[in-house]
Amino acid sequence: MTFEPKDKTYRIGMGILEIVAPILGANPNDLIRPLLYNLASEHSVMVALWHVTESQRIVLIDSVTPSKIVHARMETGSRLPAMIGAVGRVYAARLDVTEDEAKAEYAKLQWQAAPGFDHYWNDIQEARETGYAFDFGNLFIGLNIAAAIACDGDGHPRLGLSAITIAGQTDVETLRAAAIGLKEAAGLIETNVFARSRGAIKGA
């Protein structure tokens, strides 16, 4: 549990999935939602949950936003190419795509402010090491995004988690802290929802 000093209440923390894993039978999204709330509240960002489809798309299936912050509005069911944005960079990293594969996919993507392939590829390379990625105003001008990916037991990307903030509202270090939190949450989801071995999780 996480104590909220402002409200003098307790909030369900990220460790809750380890407790409920043995009785997992409900909709996994209902069990993941406390993670989203915890991250959103801790870092003052909107946190979105994306389903990764077999057709290489990501679909927004849930999002949470703490009160009293200005935030972007995204409709549940919104769809994007899986390789675009912050989620796309870390998705590509988790798939271990080659440079040629990444270049071919990048040519198909539509950005509001394209980062350029070299920058995009460097971000993918960095995401291989860190387990998270960023998009600073490329996908949507004025929005800064951090993201991580949760893979299933076979190592296939299944869920994307992103922290979304309006540019200037959150500094880079705060967004980096959110990215680390997303990576940790993704690790919990992989272990307790998808039964993925901790030894198989990069950086665990």
Side-chain angles (χ1 to χ4, degrees):
M1 303 290 283
T2 301
F3 181 65
E4 297 289 342
K6 180 179 179 180
D7 301 325
K8 297 183 179 179
T9 59
Y10 285 89
R11 180 185 300 276
I12 296 174
M14 282 194 278
I16 192 65
L17 286 184
E18 302 207 25
I19 298 172
V20 302
I23 59 171
L24 185 63
N27 183 343
N29 293 349
D30 294 336
L31 301 173
I32 293 169
R33 204 156 214 266
L35 298 180
L36 308 186
Y37 274 116
N38 191 50
L39 288 164
S41 297
E42 181 178 356
H43 302 290
S44 296
V45 293
M46 173 184 172
V47 176
L49 181 67
W50 304 84
H51 168 61
V52 182
T53 73
E54 293 182 1
S55 58
Q56 292 195 317
R57 307 285 289 182
I58 57 172
V59 181
L60 182 64
I61 56 176
D62 200 2
S63 64
V64 297
T65 308
S67 60
K68 299 180 181 178
I69 71 165
V70 178
H71 61 92
R73 178 177 175 82
M74 300 187 70
E75 296 292 340
T76 301
S78 297
R79 300 170 64 88
L80 293 168
M83 294 276 282
I84 204 166
V87 171
R89 289 165 167 92
V90 73
Y91 170 83
R94 295 299 295 267
L95 284 182
D96 202 25
V97 300
T98 66
E99 184 172 1
D100 286 343
E101 290 170 337
K103 186 174 293 186
E105 290 300 318
Y106 178 84
K108 305 174 187 176
L109 303 177
Q110 295 184 354
W111 313 72
Q112 287 194 352
F117 177 74
D118 289 343
H119 190 162
Y120 176 75
W121 177 243
N122 287 339
D123 288 347
I124 292 172
Q125 295 292 87
E126 184 174 346
R128 293 187 205 275
E129 301 300 320
T130 63
Y132 52 80
F134 301 97
D135 181 291
F136 294 102
N138 301 131
L139 178 56
F140 300 116
I141 293 172
L143 295 184
N144 292 338
I145 307 170
I149 286 281
C151 294
D152 62 20
D154 295 323
H156 301 135
R158 290 283 299 278
L159 294 173
L161 296 90
S162 59
I164 304 169
T165 183
I166 293 174
Q169 186 168 277
T170 302
D171 61 33
V172 173
E173 288 308 310
T174 299
L175 193 61
R176 188 174 302 279
I180 293 170
L182 293 172
K183 175 187 173 181
E184 292 172 349
L188 283 171
I189 293 168
E190 290 187 351
T191 301
N192 296 296
V193 174
F194 297 124
R196 182 167 166 79
S197 167
R198 291 296 293 172
I201 301 172
K202 186 176 181 60

